[in-house]
Amino acid sequence: MHTPISITAVASVSALGKDRGSVWESYRKPDHLITERDFGFDKAFVSALSDLEDEEIGKVKRADLKYKNLDNSVLFALYASRMAADLAGWGKGAVFGVNIGSSRGATGLFESYHREFLERGKTSTLASPTTTLGNISSWVGHDLQTNGPQISHSITCSTALHALLNGVAWIRSGMVDKFLVGGSEAPLTPFTIAQMKALKVYSRGSDGGYPCRALDMNKTANTMVLGEGAAVACLERGELNQALAVIEGVGYATEVLQHNTSISADADCFQDSMRMALGEIAPGSVDAVVMHAPGTIKGDSSEYNAIRKVFGEKMPALTTNKWKVGHSFGASGMLSLELGVLMISENSFVPVPFGAAQEWSGKVERVMINAVGFGGNAVSVLLRQC
C-alpha cells in the first residue's frame, strides 16, 4: 500500500466480553462460549452475549428515548463504537467517516413487525425506519456527532472487512483522515436459525465438547454455529506512534458461482485476495492467518487449500475464533481482525484447541485476516506490528 494506515483502536461486544481485557482473557482459555437455546420450533447452539453484556446494551438503549425502538444490531454497534472512539481519542464533533455494515440487519425487529402484520393486517409507524439497512451507520454517526460520511452496506459474511476496504479507500483518496469501520449482527432469531438449518450447514451436536469444529479438517459433518455481536476499528492516515497495528495490504476478489452459496474447492477468490493483500511482501514473512473457517466441511477445506496454494510449504500458523464464539455473519471479519490485532499486541498466538497442531515462529509480527460471504466475495487484510 502506498499510504500506511494505522489502526488506533478496536472495540467489540460479543460472548468474548465487552472490553479488551475480557476479550483477551477469553481467548487465552480453551473453553468455547456456545450454549443451546430454545427457539420455539427448534433448539440450536448459539453464542450469545452474557447477562453482564446484555445489561450494558440495556444501558445504551435507556440512555436516549429515541434508542428504545432500535434493533439489537444497532445497539451493539453503538456500544462498540462509543468505546472505540473513546479509545482513539475521537471526541464529540470530530470529523471521521462511519461505515458499519450488517449481513442481515434488524432481524429481531423485522421478524417482530412481520408477525404483527400477519396477526393484525397492519404494522407500527416505526417498522420501516427501524429496519432499514442504513440504520446502523446513521445512528452511530448521530450518537458520536461526527460530521463525516456515513455508509451502510451488506456483503454477507465479508461485510465488516468490506467496510475496512471502504475506509482505506476514503483515507487514501485524501477525502478524510479518519474512518470508523466494522460490522454488527443480531441473528439469534427463530427465522434466521431456521434459514441456516435449511442450508444443512448448522451444528447438530457437540463433538468432543465443541459444538463448532471450525478448522477441524477431519470432521464428517457441518458444524456452523451462529453468534451475535459487533466489532469496529478506528483507522487513521499514516503510521502513528499510538497505533495497535498498521494495515500493510488489502485484497479482494470474487469467483464465478455454481450456486447461491458456492465456493470452489481451492477457493480461487481467497487465493486472489490473499495475493493482492501480500503485493510484493514475501508470503513467508506472514506469521499467522486468522481464517474465515465457518465450521463447514467445504468452507474450511477450500480456504485451507487456498492458503496452501498461496503460501506453499512455508505455511503460517492458522487459527480462527468461530469454534469459540460462533459465526456472527457481517460482524465476523472485524472480530477476526480484533483477534489479529490482539495477537500482534501481545506477541502471542491463539491456537484452536483441537485438530492439527500449529507451528509458529514464536513471534507474531504479521497477520493475515480472511473473510468471505455468499457469492464468493472474499477480502484479505494484512496487518503488521508498528
Side-chain angles (χ1 to χ4, degrees):
M1 292 180 62
H2 302 295
T3 303
I5 294 176
S6 295
I7 298 173
T8 53
V10 180
S12 69
V13 60
S14 72
L16 290 162
K18 61 185 180 63
D19 54 47
R20 177 188 169 119
S22 59
V23 170
W24 183 242
E25 183 180 357
S26 292
Y27 274 128
R28 301 307 295 166
K29 297 176 181 178
D31 311 310
H32 67 78
L33 299 167
I34 295 170
T35 57
E36 192 172 33
R37 177 181 288 187
D38 191 339
F39 287 90
F41 292 106
D42 202 357
K43 292 183 178 180
F45 291 102
V46 297
S47 181
L49 270 61
S50 70
D51 291 342
L52 179 61
E53 286 132 25
D54 275 336
E55 183 180 334
E56 293 297 320
I57 298 303
K59 290 177 183 178
V60 174
K61 188 171 186 175
R62 294 188 296 272
D64 189 316
L65 189 61
K66 295 186 292 295
Y67 295 174
K68 71 174 185 177
N69 294 307
L70 298 180
D71 187 73
N72 276 341
S73 58
V74 181
L75 297 172
F76 295 166
L78 289 174
Y79 179 87
S81 298
R82 286 179 181 181
M83 183 162 40
D86 184 60
L87 290 170
W90 296 0
K92 295 285 187 182
V95 179
F96 59 89
V98 178
N99 190 173
I100 303 175
S102 179
S103 175
R104 312 194 71 82
T107 47
L109 281 185
F110 194 91
E111 290 179 33
S112 176
Y113 285 134
H114 186 250
R115 183 167 56 250
E116 177 187 50
F117 173 75
L118 293 178
E119 293 172 353
R120 299 174 54 226
K122 59 179 67 176
T123 192
S124 303
T125 303
L126 294 178
S128 177
T130 57
T131 58
T132 57
L133 192 58
N135 241 348
I136 299 179
S137 289
S138 59
W139 278 113
V140 168
H142 162 82
D143 190 65
L144 298 179
Q145 297 177 28
T146 176
N147 295 313
Q150 297 162 27
I151 309 165
S152 292
H153 68 268
S154 173
I155 309 180
T156 62
C157 304
S158 55
T159 293
L161 292 194
H162 273 283
L164 183 142
L165 291 181
N166 285 342
V168 167
W170 276 76
I171 292 172
R172 290 180 66 183
S173 74
M175 295 177 70
V176 292
D177 292 325
K178 301 175 182 178
F179 231 99
L180 180 70
V181 300
S184 184
E185 209 73 54
L188 306 188
T189 63
F191 187 50
T192 309
I193 294 291
Q195 290 175 70
M196 294 304 104
K197 289 198 171 187
L199 290 172
K200 311 299 183 186
V201 297
Y202 217 84
S203 176
R204 294 184 177 182
S206 179
D207 183 0
Y210 294 95
C212 179
R213 304 288 297 186
L215 205 49
D216 178 356
M217 306 310 294
N218 296 313
K219 60 180 171 288
T220 57
N222 292 320
T223 64
M224 194 182 83
V225 168
L226 288 190
E228 63 181 355
V232 300
C234 293
L235 310 185
E236 300 192 39
R237 175 185 295 277
E239 188 167 341
L240 307 179
N241 292 332
Q242 70 269 31
L244 302 175
V246 171
I247 299 173
E248 196 168 24
V250 295
Y252 48 88
T254 57
E255 60 180 58
V256 177
L257 297 179
Q258 299 303 314
H259 59 79
N260 296 41
T261 64
S262 69
I263 189 169
S264 57
D266 293 331
D268 296 335
C269 56
F270 266 139
Q271 292 184 53
D272 292 342
S273 68
M274 287 188 287
R275 288 192 174 105
M276 181 186 291
L278 283 167
E280 299 300 317
I281 296 167
S285 68
V286 177
D287 301 302
V289 175
V290 181
M291 295 173 60
H292 181 72
T296 62
I297 294 173
K298 188 168 184 180
D300 291 9
S301 64
S302 61
E303 184 180 0
Y304 179 81
N305 292 342
I307 293 170
R308 294 286 300 184
K309 293 267 189 180
V310 172
F311 290 92
E313 295 302 314
K314 194 173 174 59
M315 287 280 284
L318 306 180
T319 191
T320 182
N321 55 16
K322 292 184 179 67
W323 65 272
K324 178 181 280 286
V325 75
H327 189 357
S328 53
F329 289 150
S332 64
M334 194 55 63
L335 284 171
S336 294
L337 184 133
E338 179 184 50
L339 173 56
V341 168
L342 286 170
M343 290 196 300
I344 288 173
S345 298
E346 301 291 336
N347 193 33
S348 180
F349 177 69
V350 176
V352 175
F354 49 78
Q358 298 295 318
E359 295 183 9
W360 67 292
S361 61
K363 62 179 178 64
V364 182
E365 296 176 356
R366 273 199 178 101
V367 178
M368 181 85 77
I369 316 296
N370 281 342
V372 69
F374 289 159
N377 288 291
V379 180
S380 298
V381 179
L382 183 63
L383 307 178
R384 70 165 167 82
Q385 187 183 64
C386 298

